[in-house]
Amino acid sequence: MVTDYGQGYATRSEPRHRLPAGLRAPFEARSWRAFGYVLLSLPVAAVLFSWTVTMVALGAGLLVTFLGIPVLAAALAGCRGFGVLERARARGLLGLEVADPEPLRMRKPGAAAWMGAMLKSGASWRHVLYALVQFPWAVFSFSVAVTFWSCGWGLLSYPLWFWVFPAYAGEGGIQLYGDAHHSVYLDNPFEITVTALVGLVFTLATPWLVRALTTVDGLLVRGLLGPSPLSARVVELESDRGVVVDTAAADLRRIERDLHDGAQARLVNLAMDLGLAKEKLREDPRTAARMVEEAHGEVKTALQELRDLARGIHPAVLTDRGLDAALSAVASRCTVPVRVEVDLPARPAPAIEGIAYFTVSELLQNISKHSGARSASVDVWRSEDRLMLQVTDDGVGGADASRGSGLAGLAARLDAVDGILMVDSPAGGPTRVIAELPWRG
């Protein structure tokens, strides 16, 4: 697996705004989408709260009979249906991507099995909790957002409509204070200007307030309507298991191909040459000796190919002497000078040690073929419960693991064992690749 270090990062120029964020926030689409989300939250939460309280109370009351179980199951199913709507609303208006919760796990088909799975599902009861919590929060956020938004724009535009009061209400303007003996109206130019400035402050602050309110909504949606951490971990482990299986299958195919096309083919030719030499031994000893000499060369080549193949699987030096010696051997075969420094208090688990060796070997192979570097370095150390690998070179840079290259495959292999691959390779270099692996000593 190799990576083209000669390709640079894909860059995208960020749009430049003439107005600062605080002044343009009231006019941004993001602010209006957040405000729309808050406005919709109240009717949606009211319907969801009514459904949940009614159906759960009815089901709980009917539990003395068999009817309570299907009613409760229907209540939970309805809450899960509302959860689909809420995730879609958060995705469309807030840009919040929340995965679907874990599906129902039914051991056998049928209505009884479905009801049992629904009642046992933790995700279903989290949807119920969301319905109960979301309603009071929606009332609060709706009241705050509408009050601040309407007051802000209303006061800001007061210079445009203050004439309505003397023309139609017989008053000078908005009444700021009044009792039986004295009244204060906002009717002179100074008071109108101050009112507009107060409205400007409200208008500029309201988008940030609304975004803060929707942040809480996002936490509720993500925490109660998404997958639980345990189920997400199970899905991740299943995915990692698939990566490990695919990687192992690919390695087996590569080994089989290398044996079939390399050493095996040479050994077949060797057997044929030795057979011909045996026939020629009495008739033409000189030709037979030449053929035996050629067969001897084929044996050396086949042995070298077998050594290279074994080294690619798991070198003996790694088993016998550890990462320091094994990585030094790999560095000696690199086309550029490589400094190797390994500082480990002990040896990690053999599987982690093998993955670390494979990772450095692949990165050094990339440096040899694509980097155009004049020197490189390999550093290995332990940081708490992590095995850290760092490979740097002074080449042309431009390595990117997001382009489906060899680095992407290497990152997938590390991810399968809870490892991380980080690439820092700006165009023009230098390139630094850091890999983290669990220690598992």
Side-chain angles (χ1 to χ4, degrees):
M1 292 186 289
V2 296
T3 300
D4 187 1
Y5 275 54
Q7 295 179 341
Y9 284 118
T11 59
R12 182 180 62 182
S13 59
E14 295 293 335
R16 295 183 178 180
H17 300 280
R18 296 181 179 179
L19 291 176
L23 294 180
R24 67 173 185 268
F27 308 101
E28 287 183 329
R30 174 188 173 185
S31 301
W32 289 99
R33 288 197 300 267
F35 185 59
Y37 183 91
V38 173
L39 292 181
L40 288 174
S41 291
L42 183 59
V44 172
V47 174
L48 177 56
F49 182 84
S50 302
W51 164 270
T52 304
V53 171
T54 303
M55 294 297 291
V56 171
L58 179 62
L62 292 175
L63 279 179
V64 293
T65 67
F66 176 75
L67 294 177
I69 295 178
V71 171
L72 277 179
L76 297 179
C79 290
R80 291 180 72 110
F82 275 103
V84 175
L85 171 64
E86 288 294 87
R87 289 191 296 273
R89 191 164 66 93
R91 185 183 307 113
L93 296 177
L94 301 181
L96 182 65
E97 293 292 338
V98 179
D100 294 336
E102 57 271 21
L104 298 179
R105 298 183 178 273
M106 296 188 297
R107 296 183 179 180
K108 55 183 179 179
W114 176 82
M115 288 186 290
M118 184 66 71
L119 294 174
K120 294 177 182 178
S121 172
S124 301
W125 291 104
R126 290 199 307 272
H127 282 66
V128 172
L129 180 60
Y130 175 84
L132 300 178
V133 173
Q134 170 67 4
F135 178 66
W137 173 252
V139 172
F140 172 78
S141 59
F142 180 90
S143 303
V144 172
V146 171
T147 300
F148 273 77
W149 203 284
S150 58
C151 287
W153 285 103
L155 295 179
L156 178 61
S157 61
Y158 183 59
L160 302 178
W161 55 271
F162 79 96
W163 56 269
V164 172
F165 291 92
Y168 296 100
E171 298 177 351
I174 297 177
Q175 186 177 5
L176 187 61
Y177 172 78
D179 55 23
H181 306 287
H182 184 67
S183 298
V184 178
Y185 295 94
L186 303 176
D187 52 2
N188 62 58
F190 174 76
E191 294 173 344
I192 293 174
T193 302
V194 172
T195 302
L197 292 177
V198 172
L200 178 62
V201 172
F202 272 75
T203 302
L204 296 178
T206 299
W208 304 101
L209 176 63
V210 172
R211 292 180 188 181
L213 295 173
T214 55
T215 299
V216 178
D217 285 284
L219 293 176
L220 290 175
V221 172
R222 189 183 298 276
L224 297 178
L225 301 185
S228 65
L230 178 60
S231 65
R233 181 60 176 162
V234 170
V235 172
E236 180 183 356
L237 291 177
E238 290 177 349
S239 176
D240 291 345
R241 182 182 62 182
V243 172
V244 171
V245 172
D246 293 341
T247 301
D251 289 341
L252 288 175
R253 288 193 298 269
R254 176 180 60 82
I255 294 170
E256 181 182 6
R257 182 181 64 250
D258 292 343
L259 286 174
H260 183 271
D261 297 340
Q264 181 179 348
R266 292 188 181 277
L267 291 175
V268 171
N269 291 333
L270 173 62
M272 295 175 61
D273 292 341
L274 289 177
L276 292 175
K278 181 180 179 182
E279 295 177 359
K280 292 282 186 180
L281 185 59
R282 295 182 179 179
E283 301 176 1
D284 191 354
R286 215 176 263 184
T287 302
R290 179 177 54 81
M291 296 177 67
V292 170
E293 184 177 356
E294 293 176 353
H296 184 255
E298 286 289 323
V299 170
K300 290 182 177 180
T301 303
L303 288 175
Q304 184 61 40
E305 290 182 353
L306 288 174
R307 289 194 192 98
D308 293 339
L309 182 60
R311 188 183 296 115
I313 300 172
H314 195 89
V317 66
L318 178 62
T319 303
D320 297 336
R321 301 174 56 190
L323 275 175
D324 195 354
L327 296 182
S328 298
V330 173
S332 66
R333 297 193 297 270
C334 189
T335 58
V336 300
V338 180
R339 176 188 62 81
V340 178
E341 183 174 346
V342 179
D343 182 15
L344 296 177
R347 295 182 63 172
I352 299 300
E353 201 173 48
I355 295 175
Y357 172 83
F358 175 82
T359 301
V360 175
S361 178
E362 288 294 310
L363 293 175
L364 290 181
Q365 185 179 4
N366 289 343
I367 292 174
S368 298
K369 294 183 178 181
H370 304 285
S371 70
R374 292 171 295 180
S375 64
S377 64
V378 176
D379 295 283
V380 182
W381 70 98
R382 179 179 179 179
S383 177
E384 297 180 353
D385 60 344
R386 306 290 285 181
L387 175 62
M388 308 295 296
L389 313 172
Q390 177 176 277
V391 179
T392 59
D393 68 76
D394 57 358
V396 297
D400 190 351
S402 64
R403 298 183 182 178
S405 59
L407 283 179
L410 201 57
R413 179 173 292 209
L414 293 179
D415 184 65
V417 292
D418 290 337
I420 301 174
L421 185 73
M422 296 170 287
V423 181
D424 179 17
S425 180
T431 294
R432 181 175 66 169
V433 181
I434 297 178
E436 291 187 21
L437 288 166
W439 178 256
R440 296 178 187 172

